[in-house]
Amino acid sequence: MSEKVAEIKGIYQSFGSQEVLKNLSLDLYKGENLVVLGKSGTGKSVLIKCLVGLIGIDKGTMTILGKSVETANENELMEIRKKVGFLFQSAALYDSMSVRENLEFPLKRIETNISKSDLELRTVEALENVGLLDAIDKMPSQLSGGMRKRVGLARTIVLNPEIILYDEPTTGLDSITSREISDLILSLQQKYNTSSIIITHDMPCAKHTANRIIILAEGKEIAEGSYEELANSTDSLINSFFKQ
Amino acid sequence: MDNQPQASPDIFSKTKAYFAQLAMVARFISKTFKEIFLFVKPPHEFDELFKQCFKIGNKSLVLVAITGFIMGLVLTIQSRPVLAEFGATSWLPAMVSISFIREIGPVITALICAGKIGSGIGAEVGSMKVTEQIEAMEVSATNPFKFIVATRVIACSLMVPLLVLFSDACGMLGSLTGINIYGDMNMNLFFAQAIASLEFADFFPAMIKSVLFGFVIGVVGCYQGFNAGRGTESVGTAANSAVVISSMIIFFVDLIVVQLSEVYNTLSN
């Protein structure tokens, strides 16, 4: 088995009296795509937000690339985040900036000494990877939902992350665009050997991209396995996810 | 003992929430100061600072000019009959210039900026929060506080005093117009009298409080936006609260600065 790049052990997270994650543990291995399935409100998005320190946890431990997340100070958290890409459900593009500026924004601030030619090269390369070089000077308001997701992905990979966290990458997209995004996730995994956690409801996307799947219910893991193993499960709850 | 009135747990939770909110505000302000002091350290955000300065100054220029001019005109027209009773209409330029420079210019301009700039900042930052743009900056290992808050607060603190000076100038022109509606005074004489009546002690506290007003508008707008809720409704709430809260604080700051300058004037005389 390849090396672990992220390790979550017995985490608990709650908003007031509402417990979102309850004693959840999982590992992510180098170069694998781990899909997290679950109904809405089972804490899937909270899980990946906890992993990058956007949301604190009540109990448990989280390690990313050998560094503890829950005990990290601001600077240590910054170092962790440089190696972890995050694609938001809404893509979260900066509205006031063009596509080019969206990609240059993190690059200029993290690699403060980057030359103009390198900046251009990295921006163009990231946009070529998602097939959107033509949109380089467009504003986010001029892009469709699928294009926004792709630009969001380009902004994520421009920093060459070792881990990518996808928060419902295909939600709100038609089946053809969803398939294109799923293909993109796979091609990035193969090209850069990145490890990914993919939060999704979209079963075709899960089937297409997953090396391993875990299913969450009420903040706990209830099943783990490959797509085929889980699809053939006799458990009615697990099986309900795979009914088309 | 059982019949003694018991403090409601609701009061405790409200008090706790109030102090938690206070602590959040204190943390936000201290972080703002930290980012302002470290502003010259890389990564530099001067481009965003200049963009915000232009936006803030340019956005409010016409409104400040019109309001300043009308205030000067109205103040002159309404003061004239009272001064005329004492045969002191020649004092109009001095009276208007002192009241404008010391109080009317800074406060009116700050209130206009609170409405125009403060609500704009609250809505803009609030919508960035709602659409996860702030979180996106955080997860890409950049500092949203420096890029969003420090730039806007510095821009407000720099631009509001300049807008106040511009408003003062427009107010004086309004006053000149008001005087010339009922009488006759040439521009040179008007400005010679107005300027002769002013001292450094009139300008200095006004400029200090203008900087503070700008700081308040920037911080309150950013704080409300940064702490907006999840829905789109919270963007409107953030914009609205930014105006109401900053307007209130502007009056308190005005009161404090006026009191302090009075104490200083008394001690120096």
Side-chain angles (χ1 to χ4, degrees), chain B residues 92-146:
Chain B
L92 263 172
M95 193 209 77
V96 172
S97 64
I98 289 174
S99 45
F100 230 94
I101 301 292
R102 278 191 181 183
E103 185 65 20
I104 298 172
V107 173
I108 293 291
T109 309
L111 290 176
I112 290 166
C113 291
K116 183 93 177 146
I117 302 165
S119 64
I121 292 175
E124 187 188 11
V125 179
S127 71
M128 287 179 86
K129 174 78 186 287
V130 170
T131 54
E132 296 178 310
Q133 291 177 50
I134 295 176
E135 286 186 340
M137 284 182 192
E138 279 183 64
V139 294
S140 57
T142 54
N143 184 349
F145 217 86
K146 186 174 187 178

Side-chain angles (χ1 to χ4, degrees), chain A residues 49 81 90 95 109-110, chain B residues 45 132-133 135 138 140:
Chain A
K49 285 189 176 177
R81 286 170 178 171
S90 60
D95 288 337
R109 281 153 185 86
I110 291 173
Chain B
E45 301 294 0
E132 296 178 310
Q133 291 177 50
E135 286 186 340
E138 279 183 64
S140 57

Side-chain angles (χ1 to χ4, degrees), chain A:
Chain A
M1 190 164 280
S2 56
E3 61 170 309
K4 280 181 196 171
V5 289
E7 193 173 4
I8 294 174
K9 274 189 187 164
I11 62 164
Y12 288 80
Q13 206 284 332
S14 55
F15 292 112
S17 59
Q18 189 197 349
E19 277 199 312
V20 182
L21 299 175
K22 296 170 201 165
N23 195 21
L24 180 69
S25 300
L26 66 85
D27 298 324
L28 177 69
Y29 295 95
K30 179 86 183 155
E32 88 163 334
N33 277 349
L34 171 67
V35 167
V36 180
L37 290 176
K39 288 183 192 167
S40 297
T42 48
K44 304 186 299 295
S45 298
V46 170
L47 167 68
I48 54 172
K49 285 189 176 177
C50 287
L51 255 179
V52 286
L54 281 177
I55 299 176
I57 54 169
D58 302 331
K59 223 162 94 177
T61 59
M62 294 183 298
T63 312
I64 285 195
L65 300 165
K67 299 209 171 106
S68 167
V69 177
E70 77 281 356
T71 57
N73 61 29
E74 212 169 310
N75 291 335
E76 289 165 340
L77 214 49
M78 284 277 203
E79 289 306 312
I80 292 170
R81 286 170 178 171
K82 283 178 189 173
K83 293 169 184 162
V84 183
F86 195 114
L87 179 66
F88 286 84
Q89 191 177 345
S90 60
L93 300 183
Y94 310 133
D95 288 337
S96 58
M97 301 179 200
S98 68
V99 168
R100 179 195 296 276
E101 288 165 337
N102 260 278
L103 268 70
E104 287 178 352
F105 183 85
L107 265 178
K108 277 183 183 171
R109 281 153 185 86
I110 291 173
E111 298 174 28
T112 45
N113 295 323
I114 192 168
S115 66
K116 274 192 174 174
S117 56
D118 274 354
L119 195 66
E120 176 74 11
L121 200 74
R122 300 259 301 262
T123 307
V124 167
E125 190 192 351
L127 282 172
E128 269 176 350
N129 276 327
V130 298
L132 269 183
L133 190 54
D134 293 346
I136 192 163
D137 291 317
K138 286 191 174 168
M139 295 301 285
S141 57
Q142 297 172 290
L143 306 176
S144 67
M147 288 164 91
R148 290 174 73 92
K149 286 262 165 84
R150 285 179 190 212
V151 173
L153 194 50
R155 191 179 63 188
T156 304
I157 59 172
V158 80
L159 294 169
N160 300 328
E162 293 179 42
I163 299 171
I164 304 180
L165 309 174
Y166 297 90
D167 190 3
E168 307 201 9
T170 57
T171 298
L173 303 177
D174 62 84
S175 57
I176 297 168
T177 315
S178 294
R179 176 75 190 193
E180 285 171 1
I181 297 284
S182 302
D183 285 341
L184 210 53
I185 293 171
L186 267 186
S187 73
L188 291 175
Q189 180 201 19
Q190 283 153 11
K191 191 169 178 183
Y192 299 109
N193 196 28
T194 51
S195 317
S196 305
I197 296 180
I198 304 157
I199 306 292
T200 188
H201 291 119
D202 181 14
M203 294 315 292
C205 170
K207 186 178 183 182
H208 194 53
T209 56
N211 299 119
R212 188 159 59 98
I213 295 176
I214 66 162
I215 299 177
L216 294 190
E218 292 172 4
K220 290 183 220 165
E221 181 190 317
I222 56 164
E224 182 191 341
S226 67
Y227 184 90
E228 287 73 24
E229 285 166 358
L230 295 175
N232 295 324
S233 168
T234 50
D235 187 307
S236 60
L237 179 61
I238 296 167
N239 205 257
S240 65
F241 285 97
F242 295 85
K243 281 181 186 159
Q244 295 295 320

